[in-house]
Amino acid sequence: MAARRVTRTSDPLSYRPEPGTIPTQPGVYKFRDGHGRVIYVGKANSLRARLSNYFQPIHNLHPRTATMVTTARSVEWTVVNTEVEALQLEYSWIKEFDPRFNVKYRDDKSYPWLAVTMSEEFPRVMVGRGAKRRGTRYFGPYSHAWAIRETVDVLLRVFPMRSCSNGVFKRSAQIGRPCLLGYIDKCSAPCVGKVSPEEHRAIVDDFCDFMGGRTQAFVRRVEKEMYAASEDLDFERAARLRDDLGAMNRALEKQAVVLGDRADADVVALAEDPLEVAVQVFYVRGGRIRGQRGWVADRMDSGDTADLVETFLLQLYAGESGEAVPKEILVPQMPTDTETLEELLGERRGSRVQVRVPQRGDKRTLLETVEKNAKQSLALHKTKRASDLTTRNRALEEIQEALALDDVPLRIECYDISNLQGTEVVASMVVFEDGLARKSEYRRFVIKGVDGQNDVASMHEVITRRFRRLLDEQARSEYRPGDGDSGPMLVDPETGRPRKFAYQPGLVVVDGGPPQVAAAKAALDELGIDDVPVCGLAKRLEEVWIPDDEDPVILPRTSEGLYLLQRLRDEAHRFAITHHRSRRSKSMVESVLDDVPGLGEVRRKTLMTHFGSLKKLRAATVEEIAAVPGIGPRTATAIKTAVDPGGSQPAAGAASGEDGNGTDASTTPSTSTGERGWVVNTATGEIEEA
């Protein structure tokens, strides 16, 4: 493969590649902005024909395409050998660079999955959300978690597999007694050896086959066994099998048959307008709807429905493998390059995948139903977003005007310091982009170079560390000042991982008044950074302070800009408190155990890993503590005495900041605002916000 980059000035015509320099082979191209960030990724069967479309007169382009080419400062391309390679590379780059002008289908909510942890010795069935994990088999997604739990509760009677957490499983194994589910025959109790790993695995496989749509075989088998037991006059077993059959039928009744031929297919439908597109997917297995999912995305170019379908299928399936890619995908319109897409998806599945448009019958009726759901989803989304988008834009414009910024601060970072009498000092960094929280960009810091309670020095340290990392990322970037580009690559070219501090914010907000603002500004000045504006939000009167100004900026109480700054400050405070609470809880456990004879650092860490918190350690019996590797009965007794809130060891209470009865014996904890504190919950031993 070959790559080429062309870079000139901000005018699209000025960075247009020279005639004849663009190859005619298949490939993938990237547009970058002035900071070197990738803002758009596309593929083409002929790079020359496709890229030429972007450099026609601006008024002939779709508005979003025109915005993209005027935002871009360079274009580059990579030539590949086949169209399938181009499709794979496009997917990889979209996932890697997250370009702002690509259509990105994001879930309109977090859907629950039914997950089976196949990689464990004794697989567990559970309800989960979020990203999929390797070694786990998933079913769904479903609309409601309670619907999954009801189904699992019914089916555990027929397939008594493990459903407990690792902690419960280990505890039952240690005491040699199963949990309640083991006694009521909803678990085969592998924790106490009632079944072997092979026998439990067979139960799990049957459960997965049933959930995967292969239901008729189980129903017929249970019916056959039931009649056989009845003929043998084993009426007790026949009654149990009858109840199992009823449980399976109840589970199946919740999933209506929609395809008479019991086909396995994903049904995709779109609802679109000139600005946005909504997608709904129904997952059909064995002719029954097993799950539903929805996405809404902004339209970024003038692509038609075929382009949208291709983009969606690529993002949905290109990262999957095996049975996660269905045999058949029903769509409202064939993708632009169906053969190439089918070839790619077939490689991911390991067998042939067919993409087609149903014309009549049950499949056509089901597609129309999914399309109705997509239209309703789009209408609901537009109703919610109309006010939200307008409000966020107004808030950012008010901040720009109030602080006299050159540009609207699309990315804002806020910092807060949290400490308890100068101990366990931590800082938080939260990020809002386009007025919305970007939680994947949040960062935590442990203050190392400041002794005692000094919020100003701590703020100076955290700003210095964060922006020194920015300079380091720029220095390591392939885009360096003087090479015609500026700004860092957002992804490490060697590891492919996102750089943690590669983005430069449009505004830095600190929690505090003039001292904290001055400290942040001084840190930036020392690093030679003069193009990042700074402000502070003082909590008492909600005043906005900017460097070197004697008087604060007063935003009206009804200002959307002030409300956004308050949300930033409160989120930074919450994030700092959460981090501090976690570190404080761990240090409490360690300090409580400091005076236990014969308990060194290694075994303290073993206890922490095993129990996780002081609350769980206090609740454990001496026998449970002694079962931890490396902890004997004598040491376990000493540990129990040390952590017992009603115990007689004063060292435990003194070390943990509690008196002998578990009450708070320390002074009031605080954050940089000095207005929030923590207390020790006497019942649980956990640090809580006052």
Side-chain angles (χ1 to χ4, degrees), residues 305-564:
T305 303
D307 293 326
L308 293 172
V309 170
E310 180 176 298
T311 303
F312 174 74
L313 296 183
L314 181 65
Q315 293 188 30
L316 182 61
Y317 297 117
E320 303 288 355
S321 60
E323 293 185 357
V325 182
K327 298 178 182 178
E328 185 178 19
I329 305 173
L330 306 180
V331 296
Q333 189 171 326
M334 295 300 286
T336 306
D337 194 346
T338 305
E339 293 183 3
T340 303
L341 185 63
E342 287 182 341
E343 184 178 349
L344 174 62
L345 298 183
E347 291 178 0
R348 306 303 302 170
R349 177 179 170 82
S351 61
R352 184 171 181 267
V353 174
Q354 184 180 13
V355 181
R356 68 188 191 88
V357 179
Q359 301 298 326
R360 62 186 66 84
D362 292 342
K363 294 181 178 179
R364 181 65 193 179
T365 302
L366 181 58
L367 180 63
E368 293 172 353
T369 301
V370 181
E371 186 177 343
K372 290 179 182 178
N373 279 265
K375 290 179 178 178
Q376 293 174 357
S377 175
L378 181 61
L380 180 61
H381 171 79
K382 293 184 77 66
T383 301
K384 290 181 178 179
R385 186 176 182 184
S387 59
D388 179 62
L389 184 60
T390 302
T391 301
R392 285 190 282 121
N393 287 340
R394 185 165 66 248
L396 293 173
E397 290 171 357
E398 287 180 1
I399 293 174
Q400 178 191 14
E401 181 179 353
L403 303 182
L405 305 179
D406 294 332
D407 300 304
V408 173
L410 297 180
R411 178 185 172 96
I412 307 177
E413 296 178 359
C414 185
Y415 298 83
D416 185 28
I417 308 296
S418 178
N419 66 81
L420 179 64
Q421 289 295 301
T423 64
E424 298 290 347
V425 184
V426 299
S428 66
M429 171 185 125
V430 302
V431 180
F432 275 34
E433 290 187 352
D434 294 330
L436 297 175
R438 184 76 179 269
K439 294 192 175 183
S440 62
E441 298 289 314
Y442 286 14
R443 296 291 179 264
R444 295 184 174 112
F445 301 83
V446 177
I447 303 301
K448 303 174 182 178
V450 179
D451 295 327
Q453 184 173 353
N454 189 333
D455 294 338
V456 174
S458 298
M459 185 64 72
H460 184 279
E461 177 182 325
V462 71
I463 296 295
T464 300
R465 288 166 57 185
R466 185 269 182 263
F467 285 93
R468 183 178 290 132
R469 287 290 301 274
L470 173 66
L471 297 178
D472 291 343
E473 297 291 5
Q474 290 178 343
R476 289 201 301 267
S477 171
E478 64 182 77
Y479 279 80
R480 297 185 174 90
D483 291 344
D485 291 294
S486 61
M489 283 279 289
L490 299 183
V491 177
D492 191 315
E494 296 180 0
T495 65
R497 296 178 180 175
R499 297 186 187 274
K500 292 184 178 180
F501 295 94
Y503 269 124
Q504 178 171 309
L507 176 65
V508 166
V509 180
V510 298
D511 184 9
Q516 287 83 358
V517 174
K521 185 65 168 62
L524 292 174
D525 291 341
E526 292 167 8
L527 294 173
I529 298 175
D530 58 4
D531 57 348
V532 176
V534 180
C535 75
L537 184 62
K539 187 169 184 60
R540 189 171 66 89
L541 297 175
E542 303 292 18
E543 303 162 331
V544 180
W545 292 90
I546 57 179
D548 304 324
D549 275 16
E550 296 182 0
D551 298 319
V553 176
I554 305 297
L555 291 172
R557 287 286 178 170
T558 57
S559 166
E560 292 293 342
L562 177 61
Y563 179 57
L564 177 57

Side-chain angles (χ1 to χ4, degrees), residues 38-301:
V38 177
I39 61 173
Y40 185 76
V41 172
K43 72 167 182 65
N45 296 334
S46 171
L47 285 167
R48 180 179 299 177
R50 186 59 179 269
L51 285 176
S52 298
N53 292 332
Y54 291 100
F55 296 99
Q56 54 184 299
I58 294 295
H59 63 271
N60 292 337
L61 297 175
H62 186 278
R64 285 179 177 76
T65 305
T67 302
M68 187 273 291
V69 297
T70 54
T71 302
R73 299 296 184 270
S74 65
V75 60
E76 61 188 69
W77 56 82
T78 298
V79 176
V80 297
N81 296 320
T82 66
E83 296 172 7
V84 174
E85 286 185 15
L87 207 58
Q88 290 174 324
L89 185 58
E90 180 192 26
Y91 167 76
S92 299
W93 279 357
I94 290 175
K95 185 176 181 181
E96 180 176 318
F97 296 109
D98 191 23
R100 58 176 292 198
F101 284 100
N102 277 92
V103 177
K104 292 182 285 291
Y105 295 95
R106 305 191 187 277
D107 285 342
D108 53 9
K109 62 179 177 179
S110 176
Y111 287 85
W113 301 84
L114 177 62
V116 181
T117 57
M118 303 297 291
S119 59
E120 298 184 16
E121 181 183 10
F122 295 102
R124 170 194 176 195
V125 60
M126 60 182 181
V127 179
R129 297 177 186 265
K132 294 182 179 180
R133 298 181 180 178
R134 182 173 297 179
T136 301
R137 187 169 179 183
Y138 292 88
F139 302 94
Y142 297 86
S143 300
H144 303 285
W146 58 262
I148 311 178
R149 295 190 178 96
E150 284 185 358
T151 300
V152 171
D153 185 64
V154 170
L155 291 179
L156 285 179
R157 177 185 179 86
V158 187
F159 309 102
M161 63 180 293
R162 173 192 163 206
S163 60
C164 61
S165 65
N166 290 333
V168 173
F169 186 86
K170 290 178 181 178
R171 182 175 181 277
S172 296
Q174 289 172 352
I175 65 178
R177 189 170 64 247
C179 64
L180 176 62
L181 293 178
Y183 285 108
I184 63 176
D185 297 327
K186 285 192 173 183
C187 179
S188 53
C191 54
V192 294
K194 285 190 175 181
V195 294
S196 66
E198 294 75 18
E199 291 171 331
H200 185 264
R201 177 74 62 169
I203 296 173
V204 172
D205 290 340
D206 287 346
F207 175 84
C208 291
D209 287 341
F210 186 87
M211 292 302 301
R214 292 180 282 275
T215 59
Q216 293 304 306
F218 289 103
V219 172
R220 287 195 296 267
R221 188 181 75 184
V222 172
E223 285 180 342
K224 184 178 179 180
E225 292 176 357
M226 180 183 66
Y227 291 132
S230 179
E231 291 176 358
D232 293 341
L233 304 183
D234 188 354
F235 298 116
E236 183 177 348
R237 183 168 185 271
R240 187 168 61 251
L241 291 170
R242 178 203 60 200
D243 294 341
D244 290 348
L245 185 63
M248 285 191 288
N249 287 329
R250 286 197 303 275
L252 293 174
E253 285 171 0
K254 297 179 181 180
Q255 302 165 341
V257 176
V258 292
L259 299 181
D261 59 357
R262 302 190 179 279
D264 294 342
D266 285 0
V267 187
V268 179
L270 285 73
E272 53 184 301
D273 63 20
L275 299 177
E276 294 173 308
V277 55
V279 183
Q280 286 282 316
V281 180
F282 279 19
Y283 301 91
V284 181
R285 300 294 181 268
R288 299 175 184 271
I289 299 176
R290 300 287 179 172
Q292 175 187 0
R293 204 172 177 187
W295 294 260
V296 178
D298 292 326
R299 297 189 65 161
M300 293 301 178
D301 54 35

